[in-house]
Amino acid sequence: MPTPSTARPEWTIPIDPALQAELERHVLVTSWDKLLGMVDTVYNWGRRSALWPLGFGLACCAIEMICTASSRFDIARFGAEVFRGSPRQADVMIVSGTVTKTMMPMIARLYDQMPEPKYVISMGACASGGGPFKEGYNVVSGIDKYLPVDVYVPGCPPTPQALLHGLITLQRKIDGEKLDIPAIGRKGNTPWYDPDANRDVPVPVLGPDLIDVRTLELTAERTAAGLTEAREATLPRPALIPAPRPEVPEAEEAADGQAESAAAPSGRAMSKIELIRAKSRGEAVPEGAAATAAKKAPARPSRKARVAPSRPTLVWLGDDGLKDLAGRLDSEFGEGTATVVRAALLVPAGKLLDVSSFLRDRNPIRYDYLASLQGVHYEDCIELTYHLDSTASPGSLIQLRVRAAEAEGEGEVPSVIGVWPGADFQEREAYDMMGVRFSGHPNLTRILMWEGFAYYPLRKDFLEPYYEGPAKVFPSRIEEGRGQHHRAEEFNPFGSNVKIPKGFRGWDGLDPAADAKGFGQMPRGTGVDVQELDTEQFVLSMGPQHPSTHGVFRMNLRVDGETVVGLKPVMGYMHRNHEKIGERNTFLMNFPFTDRLDYFTSMLNNHGYALAVEQLMGDDAKVPERAEHIRVIMAELNRVASHMWSIGFLLNDLGAFFTPALYAIEERELILDLFEWAAGSRMMCNYFRFGGVAFDLPPGWVDRCSAIVNDRLGRKIDELDALLSENEILKDRSRGIGVLSREQAIAFSTAGPVLRASGVPYDIRRAAPYSIYDRFEFDVVTATGGDVYDRYHVRLREMRESVRILGQALRALPEGPILPGKKSYQIKVPAGEAYSRVENAKGELGYYIVADGGPTAYRYHVRSPSFINLTALEAMCLGHTVADVVGILGSLDIVLGEVDR
């Protein structure tokens, strides 16, 4: 008789009872329910041990995220070293830095392309809530406004250790996940296997502002009701000041003052005793007189506001030279062509092109270099200021003023691109921020904001969505406002950082698929002769999340086969409103914001800003000798750290994936240790102060620094040189690629290693010496080829010169104070204007400040070398391949925090 078989429901084949008994005795050591229950443990272990982050970063935090891959921190210990370039291969999005409105649609698209299961880590204060940039008009107040966040990592920026702790937290969260197992009737807690769950995020729209399509109807309703305009009508507005006028002799000014006093005796307010007498006689008292009389009269006449000496910068042409130049221009183009106004030449807009051509081509000092261009909104005009220097006679800087109509959208001046091509992006920025049009500009479109944005944000009459008052400290933040503190969202009619004009009617035309940022930036063919197969040209968009664009930067390429025949940079994806915030902050508050421009060079950034305000303060901020030496030491250490990173990641771009970068990161980490020891922070040092530095060097710091400078850095630079400079692959990928001639480098206003690699020996430390650089022996490093290789090699050799300066500064470091007086948290800056220039690692970093005698800057502008160097990018890339474009961009060494500000 055959043995009866038993069919278990979970098995599909009959089992002999004897075999079943043996299996249950020796193999099936657990129940089927328990076995299925173990799936969670195995599945979660696999997921937690092989996290694949999406390889893109936003701002400062991204640098610390990259550092976790170095041997010092070793993210591989947590199974997360496989950074993926495509969202379709990634399961973790690390939102590392400021989320801007411009970038938010891109982030939403990336998230929607990631496969399930997917996780989001919000890294840093900016990603989590806007951080120090929350009040900015282009900033999203936290990524969780749009994406579900699994882990928040605090810090600004968080250290690499903090991000690793965030990964551990995410791993613990994954350990708690349970899958659906219908066989045992168990419901899990993972939404991605639920067919009814939709985890995709609606892509927001770039219209007059960033518009969340989930609340579109409510937004339209509140816009039509004019709630924004009603709120702004109750707010105090920034005061406008008149544009500078020609200086009036003191005698004339005194006579004018006496005439004004004599002309208005009847307008004098009644004193308190006069008011009492008038009331006792039953006479009529003018309305408001009681309140006026109640105010205490000043004990003595108020002193005239302090005014800083008139000079555009520390090293310039000089008063006599400027007067001679004004006379030369008047004789050339007619009386009134050039008027000296506060150490600058005021030129009529109609004569700007003639004057510009003369200054460049026929003046004895050939002003061939446009250092900086910016706009200022005054009550009677928009003033454009141009800072010009000569590469043949450096240190002869002059400033031009040109004025346009003040009314929004009505100002217009001629474009000077035909004279100085480096004006291209700077004019577009002035148009984007101030609304001034430049007639003759070949591509006058918005550059930091997007086409369709409703406002010109650096005009004084533009109030941000989170605006509270014209200057900090806001009333709700001080003692009188105790108990009144509130979140900005509570008073904004939309409950978020949004502002839309009441008259907007284009709601039906809003399209989440539209490319508002790249629209109008499609390159046209430029006549490059392609001697290959007959192919059709097409446009390729590279970025803004591409791993090789050095941040959220985009290039629209027109290619013929593999050959680039047109290129348009698209920037602004990290525009954090640095300058608008800088005009709200007190002068001292701006130091930590300068850290976040080029976040590789916070010490150098601090130095430039300190010099601008010190120029206005004069002897009140005279820097002691010890502080001067400390400043130079910190600046040159920062230069070495920046160049190390630049070289490491240039090799990354050329194909030597990450190994050279790891070598470079190791040296940079040693320098960051010194910064953290002295300033308390690795990257955002906030170390300089007006008149000195914040803290003295701690005991043992100088010995440690000397050991690194004397015993290590030189050897490591030699090691990089030996491994890279004669490498055949490096030379093949960089020699003759991205050539920028000497004439082009000057015309495009390039600076730093980019300019010097084209044979121009222009270094601000020598051309216009600042601090105590004139005391040190060092060479200005140049090359002649102007290609990718020369830009690499100039940086390598410049590190050696920095080591020379460091050795001299450390040996000469004196004892003494680090500030000219007591540490102060509020300073008085005289009225005036100043343009400071320092040689940053990327080139000339300039700060232009207009002060009106108050506690904040009336105008605050940053001349960004990374931004202006990009003006030459298309010219460098034409005729090369797409692969070469990556290396050419890497050789510019841009940092998006400084590009977009």
Side-chain angles (χ1 to χ4, degrees):
M1 182 177 178
T3 305
S5 60
T6 302
R8 300 187 64 161
E10 61 270 30
W11 291 350
T12 58
I13 59 172
I15 299 295
D16 184 276
L19 175 59
Q20 178 179 320
E22 290 299 307
L23 287 172
E24 289 176 350
R25 181 181 177 186
H26 299 290
V27 178
L28 302 178
V29 295
T30 186
S31 68
W32 185 248
D33 290 354
K34 291 181 179 180
L35 181 62
L36 289 176
M38 290 176 58
V39 169
D40 285 336
T41 302
V42 176
Y43 180 82
N44 291 341
W45 175 84
R47 293 221 64 82
R48 72 191 298 278
S49 302
L51 294 169
W52 288 5
L54 179 60
F56 91 104
L58 293 174
C60 328
C61 298
I63 308 308
E64 295 291 54
M65 177 181 72
I66 293 170
C67 287
T68 60
S70 66
S71 57
R72 187 178 202 179
F73 304 106
D74 193 11
I75 197 174
R77 293 178 295 156
F78 305 91
E81 75 274 23
V82 186
F83 281 80
R84 310 310 298 171
S86 167
R88 294 179 177 86
Q89 298 176 337
D91 54 9
V92 179
M93 175 183 282
I94 302 175
V95 183
S96 51
T98 313
V99 181
T100 65
K101 296 176 181 179
T102 322
M103 189 63 190
M104 191 59 237
M106 294 290 182
I107 296 174
R109 291 187 184 105
L110 291 171
Y111 179 80
D112 288 347
Q113 292 177 48
M114 291 172 64
E116 296 283 11
K118 55 189 176 185
Y119 308 96
V120 174
I121 295 178
S122 177
M123 181 182 179
C126 291
S128 299
F133 299 99
K134 176 178 177 177
E135 65 190 273
Y137 49 84
N138 190 40
V139 173
V140 175
S141 306
I143 189 61
D144 55 9
K145 295 289 188 293
Y146 292 93
L147 305 188
V149 174
D150 296 281
V151 175
Y152 294 90
V153 180
C156 190
T159 62
Q161 298 95 320
L163 177 57
L164 296 179
H165 182 269
L167 280 171
I168 295 171
T169 304
L170 179 60
Q171 289 177 330
R172 288 173 181 163
K173 181 172 184 175
I174 293 172
D175 284 338
E177 293 176 349
K178 295 183 181 298
L179 301 175
D180 290 350
I181 306 180
I184 59 175
R186 196 187 76 183
K187 182 71 175 175
N189 60 3
T190 54
W192 43 85
Y193 290 123
D194 184 350
D196 298 325
N198 182 8
R199 299 237 300 164
D200 286 349
V201 174
V203 177
V205 183
L206 293 175
D209 204 327
L210 182 69
I211 297 175
D212 189 339
V213 296
R214 297 171 296 186
T215 59
L216 182 60
E217 292 184 6
L218 180 62
T219 302
E221 179 183 316
R222 293 183 175 180
T223 299
L227 299 182
T228 295
E229 289 77 5
R231 172 179 179 264
E232 289 185 353
T234 67
L235 297 173
R237 291 175 172 266
L240 289 168
I241 63 174
R245 299 297 175 200
E247 294 182 7
V248 179
E250 289 187 12
E252 293 182 23
E253 188 175 5
D256 290 343
Q258 292 172 4
E260 289 177 8
S261 300
S266 61
R268 183 178 62 84
M270 298 176 71
S271 68
K272 193 169 183 179
I273 189 64
E274 288 173 336
L275 183 64
I276 294 171
R277 287 172 180 167
K279 284 183 176 180
S280 66
R281 293 193 297 264
E283 297 175 358
V285 178
E287 186 178 350
T292 304
K295 295 180 181 178
K296 184 178 180 180
R300 56 176 180 267
S302 58
R303 290 183 297 175
K304 185 177 179 181
R306 291 178 60 204
V307 177
S310 295
R311 51 181 175 175
T313 190
L314 292 173
V315 180
W316 64 297
L317 183 63
D319 289 316
D320 293 339
L322 191 68
K323 290 176 182 176
D324 291 342
L325 178 57
R328 201 175 304 124
L329 291 171
D330 282 351
S331 63
E332 184 77 21
F333 301 108
E335 193 69 27
T337 297
T339 305
V340 177
V341 177
R342 199 186 284 171
L345 296 180
L346 176 61
V347 176
K351 295 186 178 183
L352 175 61
L353 291 181
D354 291 337
V355 168
S356 299
S357 298
F358 176 85
L359 291 173
R360 186 193 65 180
D361 299 330
R362 289 154 41 212
N363 191 59
I365 297 176
R366 303 296 173 89
Y367 286 100
D368 55 356
Y369 190 75
L370 174 62
S372 182
L373 187 166
Q374 53 274 316
V376 187
H377 184 192
Y378 291 110
E379 68 177 6
D380 49 354
C381 67
I382 301 289
E383 182 176 88
L384 287 308
T385 59
Y386 303 72
H387 291 101
L388 309 175
D389 203 357
S390 168
T391 57
S393 304
S396 304
L397 185 138
I398 61 171
Q399 178 179 329
L400 299 184
R401 304 180 190 272
V402 180
R403 291 174 178 172
E406 184 274 338
E408 182 174 319
E410 294 185 10
E412 185 168 345
V413 298
S415 170
V416 296
I417 284 183
V419 182
W420 298 294
D424 185 356
F425 290 178
Q426 299 181 74
E427 289 182 347
R428 284 178 61 192
E429 181 185 357
Y431 162 68
D432 191 5
M433 297 289 108
M434 295 281 184
V436 178
R437 304 194 68 82
F438 293 84
S439 56
H441 193 291
N443 183 33
L444 192 63
T445 54
R446 305 199 82 141
I447 190 166
L448 298 178
M449 301 305 287
W450 61 88
E451 294 298 328
F453 183 68
Y455 304 97
Y456 299 109
L458 284 185
R459 287 181 58 91
K460 289 294 183 181
D461 49 14
F462 169 73
L463 308 184
E464 307 96 298
Y466 285 164
Y467 176 87
E468 283 193 57
K472 296 177 183 174
V473 177
F474 297 137
S476 63
R477 309 300 201 276
I478 56 179
E479 282 191 20
E480 290 80 354
R482 186 173 296 161
Q484 301 176 29
H485 184 67
H486 54 266
R487 295 172 67 242
E489 290 91 336
E490 298 172 26
F491 286 87
N492 182 281
F494 301 100
S496 61
N497 193 11
V498 173
K499 176 178 176 178
I500 302 170
K502 182 179 179 180
F504 180 69
R505 296 288 182 269
W507 301 102
D508 293 338
L510 297 174
D511 181 7
D515 183 14
K517 187 64 183 144
F519 176 76
Q521 299 304 312
M522 293 296 115
R524 295 184 291 272
T526 53
V528 175
D529 186 20
V530 181
Q531 301 291 335
E532 295 177 3
L533 296 174
D534 187 19
T535 59
E536 291 186 2
Q537 295 183 3
F538 63 95
V539 174
L540 173 68
S541 182
M542 191 173 180
Q545 82 288 353
H546 195 286
S548 293
T549 56
H550 290 246
V552 285
F553 176 70
R554 174 176 167 187
M555 294 176 286
N556 286 340
L557 308 172
R558 180 174 287 277
V559 295
D560 190 326
E562 275 287 308
T563 304
V564 176
V565 297
L567 183 150
K568 291 294 181 187
V570 184
M571 58 199 79
Y573 289 101
M574 211 177 80
H575 177 49
R576 300 187 286 185
N577 331 125
H578 179 92
E579 294 179 11
K580 190 76 169 182
I581 295 173
E583 293 170 12
R584 297 267 185 272
N585 290 339
T586 63
F587 285 98
L588 192 61
M589 285 179 184
N590 276 337
F591 270 116
F593 284 84
T594 66
D595 290 334
R596 291 158 174 82
L597 288 165
D598 177 352
Y599 26 76
F600 289 100
T601 59
S602 69
M603 294 289 192
L604 288 157
N605 302 344
N606 282 186
H607 202 176
Y609 176 61
L611 288 175
V613 178
E614 288 165 3
Q615 179 179 327
L616 294 170
M617 294 178 69
D619 290 341
D620 288 349
K622 185 173 177 58
V623 184
E625 278 293 303
R626 179 172 177 82
E628 287 281 25
H629 282 76
I630 292 174
R631 284 180 167 194
V632 169
I633 290 167
M634 295 301 184
E636 295 307 314
L637 284 171
N638 217 167
R639 194 182 316 278
V640 173
S642 177
H643 282 353
M644 278 283 183
W645 185 282
S646 171
I647 290 172
F649 278 83
L650 172 63
L651 269 294
N652 221 33
D653 295 330
L654 296 177
F657 187 69
F658 221 58
T659 300
L662 290 174
Y663 274 80
I665 289 174
E666 184 178 8
E667 304 313 307
R668 177 175 176 269
E669 285 291 329
L670 295 176
I671 293 173
L672 296 194
D673 286 346
L674 291 173
F675 290 168
E676 188 171 14
W677 193 2
S681 177
R682 286 163 45 90
M683 284 180 62
M684 308 295 113
C685 298
N686 186 21
Y687 185 62
F688 285 49
R689 292 295 181 270
F690 304 122
V693 293
F695 312 107
D696 205 346
L697 300 175
W701 192 95
V702 173
D703 292 338
R704 175 64 174 161
C705 181
S706 298
I708 292 174
V709 169
N710 298 325
D711 302 335
R712 182 171 180 115
L713 285 182
R715 288 189 295 106
K716 287 297 179 179
I717 296 168
D718 291 342
E719 186 179 64
L720 279 176
D721 194 4
L723 291 171
L724 300 178
S725 296
E726 295 302 319
N727 182 281
E728 292 182 15
I729 299 175
L730 170 62
K731 292 168 74 173
D732 189 55
R733 289 294 313 277
S734 59
R735 285 287 194 194
I737 305 298
V739 174
L740 198 64
S741 70
R742 184 183 189 280
E743 294 72 24
Q744 286 177 308
I746 295 170
F748 282 119
S749 298
T750 63
V754 178
L755 180 63
R756 292 189 287 276
S758 295
V760 183
Y762 190 85
D763 184 315
I764 304 298
R765 294 171 295 177
R766 283 277 188 253
Y770 56 94
S771 186
I772 54 173
Y773 275 105
D774 55 350
R775 304 183 193 177
F776 299 114
E777 294 183 7
F778 67 97
D779 297 324
V780 175
V781 177
T782 61
T784 56
D787 55 17
V788 170
Y789 184 89
D790 280 346
R791 290 188 278 276
Y792 145 75
H793 209 243
V794 163
R795 291 188 179 94
L796 184 83
R797 291 157 57 203
E798 280 190 358
M799 287 195 290
R800 290 198 176 101
E801 299 306 315
S802 290
V803 171
R804 283 180 65 191
I805 295 172
L806 284 165
Q808 296 170 66
L810 286 165
R811 288 192 294 272
L813 178 65
E815 296 296 328
I818 57 168
L819 286 169
K822 292 182 179 180
K823 188 175 290 188
S824 173
Y825 296 97
Q826 184 60 279
I827 60 170
K828 294 181 179 179
V829 178
E833 58 187 302
Y835 176 65
S836 70
R837 319 165 73 194
V838 296
E839 187 64 39
N840 202 340
K842 277 72 175 174
E844 178 177 336
L845 174 65
Y847 291 88
Y848 175 69
I849 291 177
V850 177
D852 60 3
T856 65
Y858 181 82
R859 178 70 174 104
Y860 168 73
H861 173 72
V862 179
R863 189 266 189 213
S864 158
S866 292
F867 175 69
I868 297 175
N869 284 349
L870 282 169
T871 315
L873 182 61
E874 181 177 29
M876 298 162 69
C877 293
L878 293 179
H880 293 297
T881 66
V882 174
D884 290 331
V885 168
V886 174
I888 294 169
L889 179 65
S891 74
L892 292 182
D893 188 25
I894 63 170
V895 172
L896 265 296
E898 188 186 82
V899 171
D900 292 342
R901 284 151 289 150

